[in-house]
Amino acid sequence: MTQERKLWITFILITTISLAFLGYFGHEIYQKSPPMPERIITTTGKVIFEGRDIKDGQNVWQSIGGQEVGSIWGHGAYLAPDWTADWLHREGIYILDYWSKSEYGTAFKTLKSERQAGLERRLQLELRKNTYNPETGEIIITPVRAEAIEYLNSYYEGLFMDNPELNELRNNYAIPKNAIKDTKRMRQMTGFFFWATWACTTERPESNITYTHNWPSEPLVGNKPSGDILVWTGVSIILLLIGVAVMVFYHARLREEDEPEMPAVDPLMRQTITPSMLAVKKYLWVISILIIIQITAGVVTAHYGVEGDAFYGFNLADTLPYVISRTWHVQLGILWIATAWLATGLYIAPSVAGKDPKFQRFGVNILFICLLVIVLGSMAGQWLGVMQKLGLETNFWFGHQGYEYVDLGRFWQIFLTVGLFLWLALMFRPLIPVIRNKTAEKGLLTMFLVASTAIAIFYTAGLMWGRQTNLAIAEYWRWWVVHLWVEGFFEVFATVVSAFLFVRLGLLRTKTATLNVLLSTVIFLSGGILGTFHHLYFSGTPTAVMAIGATFSALEVVPLVLIGYEAYENYRASRKTQWLKDYKWPIYCLVAVAFWNFFGAGILGFIINPPVALYYIQGLNTTSAHAHGALFGVYGMLGIGLMLFILRSLYRGQKWNDKLIGFSFWSINIGLMLMLVLSLLPMGVLQSIASAEKGLWYARSAEFLKGPGMDQIKWFRIIGDTVFAVGLGTFAWFVFTVGFKKPNTNSENKDI
């Protein structure tokens, strides 16, 4: 049996078994998620919330931006509080004060420590006891807890509506006045906040840990890391060390084969440029425009962290609130990167065959129009939803779903799914005849189509939740999209495309590239598929999810230990021959990808992955640092590199403005690093210390984020943001200046 065949079998087994486990424990999440009650009543029989009000409250929360305005269970934006941590602390303080004043005639904080400890223990018994009755579907609470709910309903109503006493706090959280315009909707959202927080402090049946594994940290109610959190943290670190040792040993014993003989001239000079390949050029122009819009939205979003509802004194929040600017910033980041990769696929597929199948250019143009409609339509729908101009059901379909990274309404999700399958068809049509001819590139092209198929199929996971699906279940499917689609199979696609480009340039033998791609995919997916669970430690999931997530997410880091070798090889490749220097900047982008894979995805990722670390820092700016370093540093830089490869191929005979693209490259990478080290990481570290000492509620509070020195750290970000934005602006300008020149066409092929 050949080595390639063995790797194919291993790839199929790893993928099948991992997805089976992912599905099995998904079933467990369905069975053991925090129950959605029929009603919440007091011990005296008074109805506080109906179940339908809680479900509608979840939709109200989604309609105002959901995870783009604060967070629930640690998932979401970082400026406003985590509402579950905030509610839990405020509820605990209210009840303790109520008891203290009733029994001792003074506020809780003035009591002697012995009496405080006694009341805190009483509070723990009150809140941690599971009073859900599965037969009646009721959660039964005491009258004092019902009073706390009414107090908090009044507080949140004032915050999300128009209480003038909360103007400053509302400003600090960048929540516009009258974000919710109807008191009924406000009451419903309060019910959802209560239920989500109830899961954080209520122990599972026959267990001494809560539905969210004692998250968030809150000493008042006895929320502290469980034994499982500590044990699986240790296991993850041990497995990481073992995995690193095995990887280094395996790499050391590999025999380096002789490098292929370098072509005397650029092989792509002989490449046929088909009409559909030429049609890809407009994708690059639109991507450049989306980049400019995205970084503009990012600058506005970051600035809201300082001024709250203004942009250098201009009252921008009335027309472009923080929720919308952040939504567009996150969503457009995903969309332009994905479009860059889709465009690369559309360019590569016919280049292999050397001709277009019938109607290929037509399909490329139709897909382009579809993507434009999806981008503009979803952005408009999100604005209408957040501005409270849509009903709850209409908002779900056309407005803002409220789930970070998949904010677009369900209609736009379905439309994008159809677009991805159209893209997949455009990949298959030119490549299937080539694969049938059993050329040397058959294995590599097969892997290319497998990765493309996975991209189309796994996005459908975003259609698996409904308008009122239990949040724990919706989070499970959301991370299928964010982790498996974005971080998983797009990674495989990127690996295949990079290897294919090196083969086409004559820098890598086809057999070597195929084996490397298969091996890299096996190693990555071994940890990557089940590593999805590391996002779900505290999202209402059973203990087994934490065990598997901690174990396999540690293995995700293992391949990154040799990333420096990959970066060096890419750098060395760019200097091999005179003609290859024309590909200097695309190859430098791959070098940058390797660096950010190690630092942004690897180091910053593992800092927040172990259960005990994430217990204290989930939802803090440490996550934001990882997101910027990994999402843009790895996937964004790869998207830019792929765009440059396409441009170099299209305009092979043109001399590039080397100074302009060089300035852009270094500005982007230096600006991103400055953004991290001057602002996001220092802020995240300080928040982590505050979270460990006082609780997550404090680390996310206005009291802390507006405390001494914090605004200065936020302002420091303007240095990195400016350098970064200038770099991306010059890149967009470079794309347009090159694109207006006459491309290199060696084709007489006519698309019918």
Side-chain angles (χ1 to χ4, degrees):
M1 186 182 294
T2 64
Q3 187 177 1
E4 181 177 337
R5 185 175 179 83
K6 290 178 182 178
L7 285 172
W8 271 110
I9 293 173
T10 305
F11 163 69
I12 294 170
L13 287 175
I14 288 291
T15 304
T16 303
I17 293 171
S18 297
L19 289 175
F21 271 90
L22 196 67
Y24 172 78
F25 286 104
H27 175 266
E28 289 291 291
I29 292 173
Y30 270 83
Q31 300 301 314
K32 298 178 181 180
S33 59
M36 180 60 68
E38 293 294 324
R39 65 191 58 83
I40 295 170
I41 64 173
T42 67
T43 52
T44 61
K46 180 181 178 182
V47 177
I48 305 301
F49 296 112
E50 295 283 354
R52 64 176 178 272
D53 292 326
I54 298 173
K55 292 178 180 179
D56 285 341
Q58 180 174 341
N59 297 147
V60 174
W61 167 72
Q62 291 172 293
S63 76
I64 66 170
Q67 291 175 341
E68 304 294 357
V69 51
S71 58
I72 294 285
W73 294 348
H75 293 151
Y78 312 103
L79 185 54
D82 179 90
W83 303 113
T84 42
D86 188 68
W87 178 294
L88 183 55
H89 184 75
R90 291 179 184 278
E91 181 182 23
I93 290 296
Y94 180 89
I95 294 174
L96 289 172
D97 267 341
Y98 180 90
W99 286 337
S100 180
K101 290 174 182 177
S102 299
E103 298 174 19
Y104 302 111
T106 186
F108 172 76
K109 64 181 180 181
T110 64
L111 291 178
K112 293 182 178 180
S113 58
E114 301 86 20
R115 288 181 173 177
Q116 285 186 340
L119 289 181
E120 286 180 8
R121 179 55 183 161
R122 181 176 166 187
L123 178 70
Q124 294 167 17
L125 295 174
E126 169 88 14
L127 299 188
R128 296 182 72 87
K129 182 179 179 181
N130 194 329
T131 57
Y132 173 71
N133 186 333
E135 295 180 1
T136 63
E138 295 174 338
I139 293 175
I140 303 170
I141 62 175
T142 59
V144 67
R145 198 168 187 187
E147 286 193 31
I149 289 173
E150 297 308 316
Y151 160 76
L152 285 166
N153 180 72
S154 176
Y155 166 73
Y156 286 118
E157 182 178 299
L159 182 63
F160 285 95
M161 297 185 76
D162 60 355
N163 186 343
E165 295 179 3
L166 297 177
N167 282 346
E168 182 180 355
L169 185 61
R170 191 184 300 112
N171 177 273
N172 290 336
Y173 292 153
I175 298 173
K177 186 180 293 186
N178 289 315
I180 296 177
K181 297 176 171 60
D182 181 76
T183 55
K184 180 181 178 181
R185 282 193 171 194
M186 188 62 243
R187 175 75 182 184
Q188 290 169 335
M189 193 171 80
T190 300
F192 171 66
F193 280 2
F194 169 79
W195 172 82
T197 308
W198 176 85
C200 293
T201 189
T202 300
E203 294 178 351
R204 288 180 176 273
E206 301 179 0
S207 175
N208 61 354
I209 60 172
T210 72
Y211 285 100
T212 58
H213 250 97
N214 291 350
W215 185 94
S217 173
E218 179 52 77
L220 290 179
V221 299
N223 270 10
K224 59 183 180 180
S226 65
D228 289 322
I229 290 176
L230 300 175
V231 167
W232 290 109
T233 296
V235 169
S236 70
I237 294 172
I238 292 170
L239 283 175
L240 172 64
L241 296 175
I242 293 174
V244 168
V246 170
M247 179 61 66
V248 171
F249 174 77
Y250 179 80
H251 185 267
R253 65 187 295 270
L254 283 179
R255 290 183 179 179
E256 297 288 342
E257 64 175 33
D258 294 334
E259 295 182 358
E261 184 178 345
M262 288 296 300
V265 295
D266 182 0
L268 297 188
M269 286 292 288
R270 301 187 298 271
Q271 176 177 271
T272 298
I273 306 296
T274 71
S276 74
M277 293 166 68
L278 281 174
V280 170
K281 183 170 68 172
K282 56 180 168 287
Y283 282 74
L284 307 187
W285 289 351
V286 168
I287 291 167
S288 300
I289 294 171
L290 293 182
I291 288 173
I292 297 300
I293 298 173
Q294 191 226 351
I295 61 174
T296 302
V299 168
V300 172
T301 301
H303 192 79
Y304 274 136
V306 179
E307 286 196 68
D309 60 359
F311 188 74
Y312 293 103
F314 178 69
N315 188 13
L316 191 61
D318 289 343
T319 52
L320 186 68
Y322 169 86
V323 173
I324 289 297
S325 68
R326 189 179 192 274
T327 298
W328 290 352
H329 177 64
V330 172
Q331 178 175 296
L332 289 178
I334 295 289
L335 288 176
W336 80 253
I337 292 170
T339 303
W341 296 11
L342 299 184
T344 303
L346 293 174
Y347 190 84
I348 286 177
S351 76
V352 176
K355 63 180 181 178
D356 283 338
K358 288 184 178 181
F359 306 112
Q360 182 78 1
R361 182 174 62 179
F362 177 76
V364 170
N365 290 335
I366 288 295
L367 180 60
F368 176 76
I369 294 171
C370 290
L371 291 175
L372 278 182
V373 172
I374 290 166
V375 170
L376 297 176
S378 62
M379 289 174 69
Q382 287 157 352
W383 186 87
L384 290 170
V386 169
M387 301 306 285
Q388 299 292 284
K389 297 181 183 296
L390 302 176
L392 296 182
E393 189 168 350
T394 305
N395 177 72
F396 172 76
W397 281 97
F398 298 98
H400 201 305
Q401 281 204 57
Y403 293 126
E404 192 178 28
Y405 296 109
V406 280
D407 303 276
L408 63 171
R410 177 53 51 87
F411 172 80
W412 307 112
Q413 280 185 301
I414 295 172
F415 199 166
L416 181 54
T417 301
V418 173
L420 288 173
F421 277 96
L422 171 59
W423 171 76
L424 184 61
L426 294 172
M427 296 294 96
F428 267 79
R429 294 173 75 240
L431 292 179
I432 289 299
V434 178
I435 292 175
R436 285 175 178 168
N437 290 335
K438 298 182 179 180
T439 63
E441 294 175 333
K442 177 184 177 181
L444 198 58
L445 292 176
T446 301
M447 197 65 199
F448 179 79
L449 290 181
V450 168
S452 300
T453 303
I455 287 172
I457 290 176
F458 278 87
Y459 186 74
T460 62
L463 307 177
M464 298 301 291
W465 65 78
R467 183 167 68 91
Q468 296 188 328
T469 297
N470 187 302
L471 183 61
I473 295 168
E475 280 292 285
Y476 167 73
W477 287 113
R478 183 174 77 92
W479 285 107
W480 271 63
V481 177
V482 180
H483 186 88
L484 281 182
W485 188 67
V486 177
E487 298 182 42
F489 289 101
F490 259 124
E491 178 83 13
V492 176
F493 180 80
T495 302
V496 178
V497 168
S498 299
F500 182 81
L501 290 173
F502 278 114
V503 168
R504 283 278 151 155
L505 290 173
L507 303 177
L508 197 62
R509 287 191 173 91
T510 303
K511 181 179 179 181
T512 303
T514 304
L515 294 177
N516 287 347
V517 165
L518 282 169
L519 180 60
S520 298
T521 301
V522 166
I523 293 172
F524 179 76
L525 293 184
S526 295
I529 294 177
L530 291 176
T532 303
F533 282 145
H534 83 259
H535 300 284
L536 298 170
Y537 293 157
F538 313 120
S539 297
T541 54
T543 303
V545 167
M546 176 180 293
I548 293 173
T551 300
F552 286 90
S553 66
L555 296 179
E556 287 184 85
V557 184
V558 170
L560 303 181
V561 299
L562 299 176
I563 213 73
Y565 176 79
E566 176 188 333
Y568 173 72
E569 288 299 304
N570 289 338
Y571 171 75
R572 193 176 64 154
S574 69
R575 306 172 67 85
K576 285 184 177 179
T577 66
Q578 186 63 37
W579 65 262
L580 198 55
K581 291 181 181 179
D582 288 342
Y583 293 90
K584 171 183 176 180
W585 296 112
I587 293 176
Y588 269 36
C589 284
L590 296 183
V591 174
V593 167
F595 169 78
W596 289 111
N597 233 329
F598 174 72
F599 181 70
I603 294 178
L604 298 183
F606 190 72
I607 285 174
I608 65 175
N609 273 3
V612 74
L614 198 58
Y615 179 82
Y616 289 108
I617 63 180
Q618 176 158 292
L620 304 182
N621 276 284
T622 44
T623 304
S624 180
H626 165 61
H628 282 80
L631 182 59
F632 187 91
V634 178
Y635 302 113
M637 285 305 302
L638 182 58
I640 288 173
L642 294 177
M643 290 172 67
L644 292 176
F645 266 115
I646 293 174
L647 288 172
R648 186 73 276 176
S649 175
L650 276 175
Y651 299 92
R652 187 60 190 88
Q654 302 289 343
K655 183 173 178 58
W656 279 8
N657 186 337
D658 215 43
K659 290 183 179 179
L660 181 63
I661 190 60
F663 174 81
S664 172
F665 174 84
W666 290 112
S667 293
I668 290 170
N669 285 280
I670 292 172
L672 180 57
M673 180 59 76
L674 290 175
M675 187 191 307
L676 298 181
V677 300
L678 293 181
S679 183
L680 292 178
L681 278 175
M683 195 183 310
V685 169
L686 292 174
Q687 281 185 296
S688 301
I689 295 170
S691 176
E693 291 180 347
K694 294 188 177 182
L696 181 69
W697 71 271
Y698 179 68
R700 290 281 296 274
S701 68
E703 177 185 355
F704 178 79
L705 289 176
K706 289 294 181 179
M710 293 304 290
D711 269 352
Q712 286 79 2
I713 293 176
K714 294 175 186 176
W715 275 110
F716 282 151
R717 181 170 170 175
I718 198 172
I719 301 171
D721 283 6
T722 301
V723 176
F724 182 73
V726 169
L728 281 173
T730 53
F731 170 75
W733 176 251
F734 174 81
V735 171
F736 281 106
T737 56
V738 172
F740 283 120
K741 297 177 181 179
K742 185 178 179 180
N744 173 46
T745 56
N746 300 324
S747 173
E748 296 181 358
N749 175 60
K750 304 297 182 184
D751 187 29
I752 299 174

